[in-house]
Amino acid sequence: MRKGFLLPALLTTALLAACVSTAPLPPPPALPPPAPEPSAATKAGQDYYRKVEANYLGQGRMREDGGGPDTPFTTRDLVENFIAIAFYDEFTETNGALVAGGAESTLHRWQAPMRVALSFGASIPEDQRTADRAALGEFTRHLARITGHPVVLTDRNPNHTVFILNPEERTSADALIRAAAPQTSAAAIRSVEEMRPDIYCTAFTFSPGKSPVIDRAVSVIRGEMTPKLRALCIHEELAQSMGLINDSPRARPSIFNDNEEFALLTRQDELMLKMLYDPRLKPGMTLAEARPIVEVIAAGLMGGES
């Protein structure tokens, strides 16, 4: 008796099957090509910078706490550190090379929004690109909140390009950098192509003619470093490119002193960025013109503490 019920079921299945399209399915989207195997130079660099980071962490450096009771600073400290970092150049160009230690300068900062683009060397793997893009996006938003100046991560008409490059890409970075900033000097290009192991990253800012207004910047970060060291460079180079152009060994707590005690912006660094973009200060001000205003701003930020 059950056999009598099979035929309708089979017919139904056949009818349903006839309604299914036999058109070929579109091919799946192409996956991005995998990054090439790291070169010997990149692998050696990765091993070296893992050891560098471990050494820093073992000494209690690369702090991410912004400073604390062990790193107090006064209003006077804030004033003098701001002056040392905002009114003196970090490098001068001498005989075709960049030499540490620059002369007194005027106040430089951006007027137009800073539009930051991120450019990776071909050998940077996708997971690292994703992590670095997220870190840079978060930090650009943080800079905008601190300074009140528009800073955004975008590929549209960028005026600050951040390059993350492995060794083989840095040695031929001339065309890349000049495409982003044609006015980059030969000495600056050479400092990237021949970057010493103790230089983790670098940034160059540009102003039209003798203007004190920054209108373009380029940063170069070693791709072979650890995530923590790359984050350190993102914080330092973008903050410097905002106009805090120098380092000072006396600045503490701060990322602007090259001792790597702090990996990320500190409370004092954030206050200096606020001061830099305070409307009471103007691009082109000399140190003599700006000092009394800097002292008033610092006292207000510190709540009248001396």
Side-chain angles (χ1 to χ4, degrees):
M1 294 294 293
R2 292 183 181 179
K3 289 182 181 179
F5 293 95
L6 286 176
L7 184 57
L10 290 171
L11 285 172
T12 303
T13 302
L15 289 171
L16 288 171
C19 296
V20 177
S21 172
T22 58
L25 295 173
L31 295 175
E37 184 70 16
S39 68
T42 295
K43 288 181 177 178
Q46 289 170 341
D47 182 60
Y48 173 76
Y49 290 107
R50 281 193 291 267
K51 293 174 182 175
V52 167
E53 180 183 294
N55 183 54
Y56 282 148
L57 294 175
Q59 298 176 38
R61 292 155 86 181
M62 292 186 66
R63 291 169 55 173
E64 299 181 2
D65 59 3
D70 62 320
T71 58
F73 62 95
T74 64
T75 299
R76 178 53 46 197
D77 294 330
L78 180 59
V79 167
E80 298 304 327
N81 289 333
F82 178 80
I83 286 171
I85 292 168
F87 283 91
Y88 289 87
D89 294 327
E90 184 176 10
F91 296 101
T92 54
E93 190 168 327
T94 304
N95 298 324
L98 297 183
V99 179
E104 181 180 323
S105 182
T106 57
L107 188 78
H108 284 64
R109 71 183 186 201
W110 293 77
Q111 294 284 73
M114 190 164 79
R115 301 179 298 275
V116 184
L118 185 53
S119 180
F120 294 100
S123 66
I124 304 295
E126 194 60 37
D127 58 344
Q128 179 176 330
R129 297 181 188 214
T130 299
D132 289 349
R133 192 174 290 110
L136 186 59
E138 180 180 351
F139 190 57
T140 55
R141 292 188 293 271
H142 188 52
L143 281 177
R145 286 192 298 269
I146 293 168
T147 62
H149 185 79
V151 184
V152 62
L153 180 62
T154 179
D155 291 326
R156 247 181 116 175
N157 192 24
N159 50 21
H160 183 172
T161 303
V162 177
F163 292 101
I164 298 184
L165 307 174
N166 278 334
E168 59 273 23
E169 293 145 358
R170 288 193 306 276
T171 57
S172 56
D174 190 330
L176 281 175
I177 294 174
R178 289 196 188 281
Q183 62 270 62
T184 308
S185 70
I189 297 285
R190 196 176 305 113
S191 73
V192 171
E193 294 182 334
E194 301 173 1
M195 194 178 282
R196 303 193 318 262
D198 60 331
I199 304 296
Y200 306 151
C201 42
T202 190
F204 310 111
T205 58
F206 305 94
S207 300
K210 295 183 178 180
S211 169
V213 174
I214 302 169
D215 70 349
R216 189 161 295 275
V218 168
S219 296
V220 181
I221 298 173
R222 289 180 176 273
E224 69 270 30
M225 295 190 303
T226 66
K228 282 182 179 291
L229 284 169
R230 295 198 308 274
L232 179 154
C233 279
I234 287 172
H235 277 235
E236 181 171 1
E237 301 308 341
L238 261 74
Q240 284 203 313
S241 70
M242 293 288 287
L244 295 178
I245 54 178
N246 196 18
D247 289 316
S248 171
R250 295 188 178 90
R252 186 176 187 256
S254 179
I255 61 173
F256 299 114
N257 55 21
D258 279 347
N259 66 6
E260 318 308 349
E261 180 182 9
F262 289 89
L264 308 180
L265 282 185
T266 68
R267 176 172 174 259
Q268 181 173 210
D269 296 331
E270 293 181 351
L271 293 178
M272 287 192 284
L273 284 165
K274 285 181 185 289
M275 294 167 69
L276 179 64
Y277 282 84
D278 189 293
R280 287 169 285 185
L281 292 175
K282 308 294 182 186
M285 276 186 167
T286 65
L287 174 52
E289 292 170 332
R291 180 181 276 278
I293 302 171
V294 168
E295 293 186 350
V296 170
I297 297 171
L301 290 172
M302 294 289 284
E305 297 175 22
S306 60

